[in-house]
Amino acid sequence: MNERYLDDLKVGERFQSGHTAAITMRLFVQTLNFAEGAIGLGVDELRWPNAVRPGDALQVETEIVDLRVSRSKPSHGIVRLRNVTVNQRGEIVQTMSASALVLHRSDTITR
């Protein structure tokens, strides 16, 4: 990002939301427990309620909010996730909802 542009913003703290999203995605993917992998279907409701500051330590909390069998690929499921990224002070710095296509065992999805 252009340093002069950042200086002109006069926001007091420098942060880039795109970097927060990239770090969140990396942390999330590193801890995925989908043995056969997952295909991202999209991200919705991406928000940055607080700034990420230099030196912040980030942690991602993931909740599965919905799970269903894919209509077009019955051997797969659609998982809807909500990721919340927090800093070391417990402040929420990013929220995101996403969907992914995953392989499933027929006895694990009942919806």
Side-chain angles (χ1 to χ4, degrees):
M1 187 168 264
N2 183 300
E3 289 292 319
R4 184 169 170 77
Y5 173 75
L6 286 173
D7 289 340
D8 290 343
L9 286 177
K10 297 182 171 71
V11 294
E13 299 278 348
R14 293 184 182 184
F15 69 98
Q16 293 185 10
S17 52
H19 285 98
T20 304
I23 291 167
T24 294
M25 191 58 72
R26 180 176 180 185
L27 291 170
F28 171 66
V29 169
Q30 283 177 331
T31 59
L32 269 178
N33 195 17
F34 298 122
E36 301 297 325
I39 298 171
L41 299 176
V43 172
D44 299 306
E45 303 169 18
L46 184 59
R47 303 284 185 262
W48 297 281
N50 291 295
V52 173
R53 295 173 178 84
D56 276 356
L58 302 180
Q59 175 180 324
V60 179
E61 300 167 0
T62 301
E63 174 187 8
I64 296 175
V65 295
D66 190 42
L67 186 62
R68 66 176 176 82
V69 174
S70 170
R71 287 183 212 101
S72 62
K73 294 185 178 264
S75 62
H76 289 72
I78 306 289
V79 60
R80 182 108 174 112
L81 308 163
R82 176 168 164 75
N83 286 339
V84 177
T85 307
V86 297
N87 62 21
Q88 71 277 10
R89 293 176 297 280
E91 299 167 333
I92 296 173
V93 296
Q94 179 180 291
T95 60
M96 173 183 78
S97 295
S99 296
L101 182 70
V102 296
L103 283 173
H104 76 84
R105 296 187 324 222
S106 61
D107 62 339
T108 59
I109 299 178
T110 59
R111 293 183 215 182

